[in-house]
Amino acid sequence: MNTIRFYTHSIRMLMKSRLQYPLSFTVQTLAQLVMEAGEMLAVLLVIDRFGGLKEWSGGEMLIFFGVMSITFYMTEIFGRGITGGIDSMIRQGGMDTLLIRPRSIMEQMICRDVDPRRIGCIAVGLTALIAGSAQTGLTWTFIRILLLLEAVFFGMMMVLGLFLIEATCSIFSVRSLEMINALTYGGRSACQYPIDVFPRPIRLLFSVVAPFSLTLHVPVSFIVGKPLFGWPQWTAFVCPLSGAVILAVMTVVFNIGIKHYRSTGS
Amino acid sequence: MRALYAVFRMRFREELRYRGAVIGGVICQTFFGLILIAVYRALYDTRPQTQPLQDVVTYVWLQQGFFRMMLSFDGELTEKIRSGGIAYDLCRPLNTYAYYCTRGMAQKVTGSLLRSVPMMMIAVLLPDGWGLRAPVSAPALFCALLSLFCGLLCVCALDMISNGFTLLTLDGRGIQSLLNLLMMTFSGNILPLTLFPDRWQGVIRVLPYAQLLDAPIRIYTGSQSLSGVPAIWGLQLAWTCVLTACGLLLWNVNRKRLVLQGG
């Protein structure tokens, strides 16, 4: 309970400080919106040219895209402390400060930063979701909304877990970690399309190592009424839980990793 | 000219220092390429197009390999503008525009050479339908390389315009993100230009963005016949002249009303 109060308090303070320069904030939010709109434009152009992707119609592709960008950028808004700049914090010795405080490292890391500018990306994601459900004639029943919320919530946990892999690696290697981006940002680009369009190795990667398919594709395919691989309904509720598993495993790994931390600061 | 050559060489060496980071970059970029190709293969299964799939695959590899030619960001310049450090550069007995243009060009050349050569080697080894295909003919390869050089000049001129806006507003992030989106979209990076709607083709082919990488790649894959190549070079050089003129104008106007920051 104490942790949650601590977190909401930090988030509120950080948000306030980020909104101190309204003009700069607005411009940067618009810049984010423009960037994500470019991604959506690509999907729209693909739909215009190809009509659909395997058995998925254009509207369904937009729904997948929308849920993906909402999940990913919600994580970046509220989990910025983990998704951004851990490596530079470690490089500059900032980790030392966290280690001497009487709180757990994970708790302090998540309370470190927020990034409200990403709301621009979420606006685009919502637009895609609404446009997609209008095109497919989807009615948002209670159970569908519940599934969507579950998919987004556990998806956020999984993305945080993936960024923790990067954080753990940066304890051991101070230099560039572009390779890990293949899992996080690569996963975002790949899994905005449903998993069953990919060949087996990519499918395995995004089901076992970075299970975007379990947290996102399985529930969303139920929402649009085309269950992936013909799986029964209960799987749509159970599969997203893998996001929590990834986060739990990575928290343990990170805490082991931090025992080997050597300060780099001066 | 000799001074600019020295600037180019210095920047080239500076970029060469971080060879370790390149390996990670290449692996990451190759992975992105594979995912894009997987998506295009699935799309072609859904509805085949007149343009052969193999051309699209080659297009993706060349775009990924020369990604650094388009996306290069001179963070040092932005920082100098914000902190007022640009005053030192204005004191140099060199044209500031030419100085930064040369720096940018060196960064682009090193970045894309270091990444594209290992990536092309990986891409050639991949099985048919996934890998890079050889150019249609030796003359086509030669023409494509010349066209790539013209494209490099063109993209440098474009970058200098975007830097000029930073000079104007100090915080260029708003306008730069817009210009970046235009570049990424209409240079064929997020989707090959041939897959854009047919009714757009007449316009997007003439835009300066199509001259950067799309034109050389079309010559490479042979979808552009060799007889039309001189017209493409002409268009590329014409855009380079126009854009350089615009950039120079922007820089000269700004230099007169530049307020130095800091103290």
Side-chain angles (χ1 to χ4, degrees):
Chain A
M1 226 51 233
N2 196 3
T3 307
I4 293 172
R5 225 180 50 225
F6 185 46
Y7 175 72
T8 47
H9 186 67
S10 321
I11 293 295
R12 204 175 311 133
M13 273 193 329
L14 285 164
M15 288 278 181
K16 233 186 206 167
S17 76
R18 282 301 164 96
L19 298 175
Q20 281 303 301
Y21 300 94
L23 183 66
S24 165
F25 173 76
T26 316
V27 169
Q28 287 185 40
T29 307
L30 282 178
Q32 296 287 333
L33 189 142
V34 163
M35 195 191 74
E36 189 62 12
E39 300 273 332
M40 186 172 156
L41 179 70
V43 177
L44 286 175
L45 287 172
V46 161
I47 294 170
D48 177 73
R49 169 66 64 172
F50 293 94
L53 180 54
K54 296 256 172 95
E55 77 273 24
W56 308 95
S57 71
E60 285 155 2
M61 282 168 75
L62 278 177
I63 293 178
F64 276 109
F65 173 84
V67 178
M68 180 51 136
S69 77
I70 291 171
T71 309
F72 197 85
Y73 291 112
M74 283 290 268
T75 320
E76 290 240 289
I77 290 185
F78 293 108
R80 186 67 189 169
I82 290 178
T83 65
I86 289 272
D87 51 334
S88 70
M89 183 181 81
I90 289 178
R91 197 155 50 230
Q92 288 161 7
M95 193 55 107
D96 299 10
T97 356
L98 301 194
L99 283 168
I100 55 170
R101 288 188 193 138
R103 287 273 182 184
S104 81
I105 300 290
M106 277 297 291
E107 204 179 321
Q108 292 183 63
M109 280 208 323
I110 194 114
C111 295
R112 208 169 57 93
D113 204 1
V114 290
D115 191 358
R117 297 169 306 166
R118 301 286 187 185
I119 198 100
C121 302
I122 290 179
V124 176
L126 270 178
T127 314
L129 186 61
I130 292 166
S133 40
Q135 268 182 37
T136 48
L138 194 70
T139 44
W140 284 98
T141 55
F142 176 70
I143 198 148
R144 282 183 172 143
I145 293 173
L146 202 67
L147 262 177
L148 178 72
L149 292 179
E150 190 192 350
V152 171
F153 182 74
F154 286 104
M156 284 169 71
M157 286 185 127
M158 192 212 50
V159 176
L160 273 184
L162 294 183
F163 275 101
L164 271 182
I165 300 181
E166 187 173 346
T168 311
C169 289
S170 53
I171 294 173
F172 297 101
S173 148
V174 189
R175 270 251 57 87
S176 156
L177 296 154
E178 269 185 271
M179 243 156 72
I180 313 289
N181 283 351
L183 274 189
T184 50
Y185 294 99
R188 183 185 65 91
S189 309
C191 295
Q192 66 188 34
Y193 301 105
I195 193 78
D196 61 338
V197 307
F198 290 107
R200 184 173 287 270
I202 299 181
R203 233 189 261 187
L204 274 177
L205 178 69
F206 290 120
S207 310
V208 180
V209 185
F212 280 99
S213 65
L214 299 181
T215 61
L216 189 146
H217 296 141
V218 173
V220 173
S221 66
F222 267 97
I223 291 176
V224 301
K226 285 184 189 170
L228 265 177
F229 314 120
W231 284 359
Q233 171 131 31
W234 59 268
T235 55
F237 283 98
V238 174
C239 286
L241 297 177
S242 61
V245 175
I246 293 280
L247 183 59
V249 169
M250 277 323 296
T251 309
V252 171
V253 172
F254 180 79
N255 281 330
I256 294 171
I258 205 76
K259 297 234 159 67
H260 299 274
Y261 168 73
R262 283 194 196 161
S263 175
T264 50
S266 56
Chain B
M1 244 4 238
R2 275 221 356 245
L4 286 182
Y5 177 61
V7 170
F8 184 89
R9 255 192 14 218
M10 240 165 58
R11 185 77 185 160
F12 193 85
R13 291 221 182 123
E14 208 179 321
E15 287 289 309
L16 275 180
R17 269 189 328 206
Y18 298 110
R19 274 169 300 224
V22 170
I23 301 169
V26 167
I27 293 174
C28 193
Q29 212 72 27
T30 310
F31 182 73
F32 271 88
L34 282 173
I35 283 177
L36 277 176
I37 289 167
V39 172
Y40 288 127
R41 287 176 68 92
L43 285 168
Y44 265 72
D45 282 347
T46 318
R47 191 191 288 181
Q49 299 289 321
T50 44
Q51 174 168 24
L53 175 64
Q54 188 60 57
D55 279 9
V56 176
V57 174
T58 304
Y59 197 105
V60 169
W61 282 122
L62 292 174
Q63 279 280 0
Q64 293 294 318
F66 289 92
F67 177 65
R68 271 301 158 114
M69 191 173 115
M70 283 190 286
L71 192 92
S72 68
F73 176 65
D74 199 338
E76 221 170 289
L77 172 59
T78 331
E79 194 42 48
K80 270 182 182 167
I81 292 172
R82 204 170 309 158
S83 66
I86 193 149
Y88 296 111
D89 292 330
L90 290 169
C91 296
R92 288 183 214 277
L94 258 180
N95 184 328
T96 327
Y97 180 93
Y99 174 67
Y100 276 107
C101 196
T102 316
R103 271 174 61 101
M105 199 182 289
Q107 192 184 8
K108 284 171 193 305
V109 171
T110 344
S112 36
L113 273 184
L114 274 180
R115 283 172 174 77
S116 62
V117 172
M119 260 190 73
M120 297 299 113
M121 287 191 317
I122 299 171
V124 163
L125 293 177
L126 290 173
D128 207 36
W130 286 90
L132 177 78
R133 206 164 50 172
V136 272
S137 61
L141 178 64
F142 176 72
C143 292
L145 283 176
L146 255 180
S147 167
L148 186 66
F149 178 70
C150 298
L152 176 69
L153 296 179
C154 208
V155 75
C156 287
L158 270 171
D159 261 13
M160 289 309 283
I161 291 182
S162 128
N163 284 335
F165 278 116
T166 315
L167 212 54
L168 186 72
T169 55
L170 292 183
D171 189 357
R173 270 176 291 194
I175 187 103
Q176 255 170 8
S177 73
L178 196 66
L179 291 175
N180 256 339
L181 173 71
L182 282 177
M183 175 148 12
M184 285 299 146
T185 311
F186 292 113
S187 66
N189 188 281
I190 60 171
L191 184 74
L193 290 189
T194 34
L195 296 181
F196 275 59
D198 289 325
R199 56 192 181 283
W200 295 16
Q201 296 291 333
V203 180
I204 53 174
R205 275 287 148 73
V206 193
L207 290 177
Y209 300 111
Q211 315 310 322
L212 316 178
L213 269 179
D214 183 69
I217 295 176
R218 260 182 296 144
I219 301 174
Y220 180 98
T221 55
S223 61
Q224 169 69 52
S225 62
L226 284 181
S227 57
V229 168
I232 287 185
W233 289 340
L235 185 63
Q236 286 181 310
L237 291 177
W239 269 120
T240 307
C241 293
V242 171
L243 293 170
T244 310
C246 292
L248 269 173
L249 195 72
L250 194 63
W251 275 68
N252 284 336
V253 169
N254 282 335
R255 203 167 52 203
K256 287 194 186 116
R257 55 168 289 284
L258 184 71
V259 178
L260 289 176
Q261 307 290 309

